[in-house]
Amino acid sequence: DTEVTQTPKHLVMGMTNKKSLKCEQHMGHRAMYWYKQKAKKPPELMFVYSYEKLSINESVPSRFSPECPNSSLLNLHLHALQPEDSALYLCASSPRGVAGVTDTQYFGPGTRLTVL
Amino acid sequence: GNSVTQMEGPVTLSEEAFLTINCTYTATGYPSLFWYVQYPGEGLQLLLKATKADDKGSNKGFEATYRKETTSFHLEKGSVQVSDSAVYFCALSEKTGANNLFFGTGTRLTVIP
């Protein structure tokens, strides 16, 4: 089973709200990723967690705060977002997440976020 | 640096037509190559992959061959169906660093009956 689940499917929030996106996988994968995808564009990497430690932060603004409570869960906490942050937020996981070893990323269905 | 170049879309084909979506790459090492598909309103699904030169990835009638000499990984299908309508992303991942995926810009395919 190569399933990554994401909740909620859709989210509408105001610029002063605080909300969280959730991602879960039960494949025993040790790396998890957050991507942002704008319309008609490829996904852009935001964060990478490897063995529950943040290993990559692609200069993402601090209004996005990732959290990896355990190896199966990945959260993205949102606060004081801007309308231009509206996008599809994709979570992915991969088995190993270790440099030097080919890994395959499996994506969830995404959360479509609208910031008003 | 690493980059992926895909043919510009959109591509419109009739059902049962032959499909080719071109993909070329630039990499500093020996990357793994992937094709992902994104159906309307959904996330990305892994379609196929190849991890070394001359490998052929295949799935659901799609195939692509890792050509090191031409740095290419073109996607082909002999007979497309309406259900193949989607956006296709070519991507690479280096083995020598973190497992970042470098995506092409995506090619939108529409298959008409």
Side-chain angles (χ1 to χ4, degrees):
Chain A
D1 181 17
T2 54
E3 187 178 22
V4 176
T5 59
Q6 289 187 245
T7 54
K9 194 175 171 88
H10 300 276
L11 179 62
V12 179
M13 61 186 290
M15 289 190 284
T16 58
N17 292 156
K18 285 186 182 181
K19 297 285 184 184
S20 296
L21 309 185
K22 182 178 173 182
C23 173
E24 197 164 1
Q25 57 88 13
H26 294 288
M27 297 178 279
H29 289 179
R30 302 315 303 268
M32 297 185 77
Y33 309 75
W34 280 116
Y35 288 84
K36 174 182 178 180
Q37 186 181 24
K38 301 285 278 185
K40 300 188 179 182
K41 297 288 187 184
E44 298 175 5
L45 183 66
M46 300 174 73
F47 302 104
V48 180
Y49 273 83
S50 180
Y51 290 83
E52 296 138 63
K53 288 186 170 47
L54 184 65
S55 60
I56 294 177
N57 176 342
E58 292 287 356
S59 303
V60 179
S62 60
R63 58 185 184 269
F64 295 92
S65 174
E67 179 197 18
C68 189
N70 59 55
S71 59
S72 300
L73 280 175
L74 184 66
N75 298 319
L76 186 63
H77 302 298
L78 314 172
H79 174 55
L81 294 193
Q82 304 297 310
E84 59 265 28
D85 297 322
S86 299
L88 181 68
Y89 287 84
L90 293 164
C91 175
S93 70
S94 65
R96 286 175 292 274
V98 174
V101 178
T102 296
D103 228 356
T104 300
Q105 292 185 29
Y106 297 91
F107 285 80
T111 293
R112 189 162 298 283
L113 174 68
T114 303
V115 182
L116 301 176
Chain B
N2 298 309
S3 67
V4 174
T5 302
Q6 279 182 246
M7 65 184 284
E8 291 289 325
V11 174
T12 302
L13 294 173
S14 297
E15 209 165 18
E16 299 183 5
F18 185 86
L19 169 71
T20 300
I21 301 178
N22 290 339
C23 171
T24 56
Y25 67 89
T26 302
T28 52
Y30 302 95
S32 296
L33 301 172
F34 305 84
W35 278 101
Y36 284 87
V37 59
Q38 187 170 33
Y39 298 100
E42 297 186 12
L44 274 68
Q45 296 179 25
L46 177 66
L47 183 58
L48 54 84
K49 68 177 182 181
T51 59
K52 61 183 187 297
D54 299 325
D55 266 2
K56 178 187 278 190
S58 60
N59 186 26
K60 299 180 182 179
F62 291 90
E63 55 183 40
T65 301
Y66 188 140
R67 301 282 188 204
K68 187 180 172 189
E69 63 276 12
T70 54
T71 62
S72 65
F73 192 55
H74 304 321
L75 183 68
E76 296 182 337
K77 187 176 186 184
S79 176
V80 294
Q81 305 300 311
V82 172
S83 56
D84 294 326
S85 298
V87 180
Y88 292 81
F89 290 97
C90 184
L92 74 80
S93 175
E94 283 276 26
K95 299 186 189 69
T96 54
N99 288 291
N100 294 7
L101 272 177
F102 295 87
F103 286 95
T105 52
T107 302
R108 181 174 299 277
L109 169 67
T110 301
V111 180
I112 54 178

